[in-house]
Amino acid sequence: MLTDHFRPQSFNGIDDIVIVGGGLAGLFCALKLSPRPVTILAAAPIGHGASSAWAQGGIAAAMSTGDTVEKHVADTVAAGAGIVDEKMTRMMVAEGPARIHDLLEYGVPFDRDLEGKLILSREAAHSERRIVRVKGDMAGKAIMEALIAAVRNTPSIRVIEGYVVEELVREGRFISGVVARPDAGQSKTRVSFPARAVVLCSGGVGHLYAVTTNPWEACGQGVGMAARAGAIIADPEFVQFHPTAINIGKDPAPLATEALRGDGAILVNSKGRRFMLDIHPDGELAPRDVVSRGVFDEVKAGRGAFLDCTKAVGKHFPDMFPTVYASCMAAGIDPVTQPIPVAPAVHYHMGGVLTDGEGRTSIDGLWAAGEVTSTGVHGANRLASNSLLEAVVFAARIAENIKGTLPAPKLTEWGDNAGENDDPVTVEDSPPFKRLRGLMSECVGVVRTRESLLHAIREIAELERVNTRLRFANIITTAKLIAVAALQRAESRGGHFRADCPAERPEWQRRTYLTLAQAERLAAEAAETEPA
């Protein structure tokens, strides 16, 4: 029995929509719902615990002369390794320019030329220049700052910070609210938030792994919560590793944006050899999974991997990429004259809670947007800068769908219920969580095998057996879904690479759909398999 799973205290308030998460998807959805009353529950001060704020590249949108929706769709499909949902992708790409204009209206200072036109850059696997940026590598920060200001100035939006949502409340077919723990998850009591509509925007899974570019809050809780409530999870095995995290021992790892390679930076090993040209004809601009494995192999072989920007960017580095420049200089590396040491790090999860074109999950009353979801637009490998695009497009569609489904707010006073006391919870620094992160990196990382995945599933089962915390149960549920799906997919495709099955297989050119009950059955079968 989980010791912190008890009848919570309820919160006095009036509302009928609760958004879980204060990242790009959550804030954008709240603004689009305005003037409808909405509550945002954020684990950290909005903008501080969100991967969106750390996004360096920008947003992809087909807005340049000569670019088209079809070209953007084609690039997305090619990167997604055969399992992209083309209908969903076309819808997302078609709505991209309108969402860029929304962001401009909210005050996002996208880069413009002297004539006032948006400056568009190119990133890996894009056939055209279509990345809208801010000061080179500050798009995420600038977008979040603008949206936070807009949210703070919108009376219909209530932001409650420092509340870690631990549970989705299900009554029959419907999600009827959430349960959260205040004080950044350290409170002894929990608080219930009843709602007619819950929008899950809780972010990704990066901190399931030992090396990641994501903030601490991105530890897979949202996927685990939804799965435990009965939602269908799609494509959990597809984890994207960014090939150029700055390898200086920091957690999270600072990121050397892909835009550097788009502007001509090259990858070399300690001998100065440019190794990516031996692996893929596009070299450094190959799909991320290919570049990640190339970097991984050099690091594992002891030759190291370095991003050399000295010729392509050189003296312009401080002005063009101030975030990366600051991270390097803080570590004693001058990227103007020195190559930057890099390593692959978990950056994005293509899998997540299955949603349709309106952001609806498989459970009534629950919508989801952003990295916690799997809409099908990323397939097995996300195209660079499509993630922020996906977040704003589907957040806007959710707002429209809720307005149509629940046309009038139902304002209800929430009564008081006495909460039970419980010990404060510290999951993220606990030995079991550290053990899980090491296990996921070692066995369910850039390169996987049947034996490594079987070992991971057995270890996850042991961690589950001794766990008494609901929050860790959510986290480890997500880890189990990823490992089980990776074991079942006996091929290599996109971000999922099996060294024992290195080729794509036609019978696996399909998406993965799992419930928690199915994953538990498969995990039990795997745990009984004899080690080699």
Side-chain angles (χ1 to χ4, degrees):
M1 191 71 174
L2 299 172
T3 59
D4 56 348
H5 188 199
F6 56 85
R7 183 169 62 88
Q9 172 184 331
S10 73
F11 187 89
N12 283 326
I14 299 177
D15 211 348
D16 72 336
I17 301 171
V18 168
I19 295 175
V20 179
L24 174 58
L27 300 187
F28 198 81
C29 186
L31 288 166
K32 283 294 187 179
L33 281 163
S34 174
R36 181 139 181 178
V38 61
T39 293
I40 297 173
L41 297 176
I46 54 175
H48 289 276
S51 296
S52 314
W54 297 11
Q56 293 181 1
I59 301 184
M63 301 179 72
S64 66
T65 303
D67 199 3
T68 64
V69 167
E70 290 306 318
K71 286 182 180 180
H72 192 171
V73 171
D75 290 344
T76 302
V77 169
I83 61 169
V84 167
D85 185 320
E86 290 194 39
K87 182 178 178 182
M88 294 279 275
T89 302
R90 186 166 284 103
M91 178 188 72
M92 175 186 76
V93 169
E95 295 180 13
R99 300 291 79 81
I100 296 295
H101 287 295
D102 286 340
L103 291 170
L104 287 167
E105 289 182 7
Y106 288 133
V108 178
F110 288 123
D111 294 342
R112 297 176 184 266
D113 62 18
L114 294 176
E115 296 178 348
K117 296 177 181 177
L118 290 173
I119 297 173
L120 300 168
S121 63
R122 185 184 172 206
E123 290 183 348
H126 285 273
S127 60
E128 299 285 344
R129 299 181 72 86
R130 63 168 69 100
I131 314 303
V132 187
R133 299 195 295 189
V134 179
K135 294 182 181 177
D137 62 3
M138 299 181 68
K141 182 175 184 291
I143 291 168
M144 289 298 292
E145 286 176 350
L147 293 190
I148 288 167
V151 163
R152 299 286 192 203
N153 290 322
T154 303
S156 61
I157 301 174
R158 175 174 57 176
V159 178
I160 303 179
E161 297 166 313
Y163 276 64
V164 177
V165 176
E166 296 184 338
E167 188 176 8
L168 298 171
V169 179
R170 181 166 181 169
E171 297 180 7
R173 294 172 38 230
F174 295 90
I175 295 298
S176 59
V178 303
V179 179
R181 191 180 295 274
D183 302 327
Q186 300 305 304
S187 174
K188 290 185 176 182
T189 59
R190 301 196 304 161
V191 178
S192 68
F193 292 83
R196 288 202 297 163
V198 173
V199 185
L200 190 62
C201 304
S202 54
V205 305
H207 270 273
L208 284 177
Y209 289 79
V211 184
T212 179
T213 62
N214 295 169
W216 276 96
E217 289 77 8
C219 57
Q221 274 214 83
V223 171
M225 274 192 295
R228 288 165 59 82
I232 296 171
I233 308 301
D235 302 334
E237 67 268 40
F238 295 112
V239 178
Q240 187 174 76
F241 290 78
H242 197 292
T244 55
I246 303 174
N247 191 12
I248 51 177
K250 291 191 70 175
D251 184 21
L255 181 65
T257 175
E258 195 159 282
L260 287 161
R261 286 176 282 133
D263 284 353
I266 60 172
L267 284 162
V268 298
N269 60 25
S270 58
K271 299 179 186 296
R273 179 176 174 79
R274 187 180 177 186
F275 56 85
M276 277 309 302
L277 289 175
D278 298 332
I279 298 170
H280 194 282
D282 290 338
E284 287 77 11
L285 294 180
R288 279 184 176 174
D289 62 297
V290 177
V291 182
S292 289
R293 286 194 294 277
V295 171
F296 177 82
D297 287 344
E298 294 298 313
V299 173
K300 190 174 182 180
R303 293 185 291 270
F306 301 84
L307 186 65
D308 188 345
C309 313
T310 56
K311 292 185 177 63
V313 183
K315 65 181 181 181
H316 302 292
F317 211 118
D319 295 326
M320 291 179 65
F321 301 99
T323 306
V324 181
Y325 182 76
S327 295
C328 290
M329 293 298 289
I333 301 162
D334 183 355
V336 173
T337 59
Q338 296 173 277
I340 305 167
V342 294
V346 173
H347 187 59
Y348 192 84
H349 190 208
M350 280 75 75
V353 183
L354 177 66
T355 62
D356 66 9
E358 311 306 323
R360 296 174 296 197
T361 72
S362 57
I363 312 175
D364 289 337
L366 180 65
W367 287 257
E371 193 174 348
V372 74
T373 69
S374 181
T375 61
V377 302
H378 303 308
N381 196 30
R382 175 179 67 94
L383 182 65
S385 292
N386 267 358
S387 53
L388 299 186
L389 173 65
E390 179 196 37
V392 293
V393 166
F394 285 93
R397 294 184 71 84
I398 287 170
E400 288 303 310
N401 189 250
I402 289 175
K403 289 176 183 177
T405 305
L406 307 173
K410 184 179 180 181
L411 305 179
T412 306
E413 286 286 352
W414 301 342
D416 285 330
N417 289 320
E420 299 178 31
N421 286 337
D422 184 41
D423 293 331
V425 179
T426 303
V427 171
E428 289 75 11
D429 289 329
S430 67
F433 188 47
K434 291 177 181 177
R435 179 181 168 191
L436 178 64
R437 294 184 73 196
L439 178 71
M440 293 297 286
S441 284
E442 182 68 26
C443 298
V444 199
V446 176
V447 177
R448 306 160 175 179
T449 66
R450 181 175 182 274
E451 289 308 313
S452 75
L453 294 167
L454 286 170
H455 176 71
I457 290 167
R458 293 189 194 99
E459 290 291 305
I460 286 169
E462 176 60 21
L463 286 169
E464 282 188 307
R465 188 184 66 79
V466 300
N467 175 51
T468 60
R469 297 296 183 193
L470 180 58
R471 199 186 313 168
F472 190 59
N474 292 330
I475 291 169
I476 205 164
T477 291
T478 304
K480 177 166 57 180
L481 287 159
I482 293 170
V484 167
L487 178 63
Q488 293 299 303
R489 185 174 286 274
E491 66 154 1
S492 294
R493 185 180 296 273
H496 167 70
F497 184 78
R498 288 274 297 266
D500 53 341
C501 308
E504 289 184 0
R505 292 169 58 183
E507 63 268 31
W508 277 104
Q509 191 172 336
R510 55 183 171 83
R511 299 182 67 192
T512 297
Y513 302 103
L514 273 179
T515 63
L516 179 55
Q518 290 168 333
E520 287 178 336
R521 175 178 56 80
L522 292 167
E525 292 173 359
E528 293 172 0
T529 303
E530 289 294 324

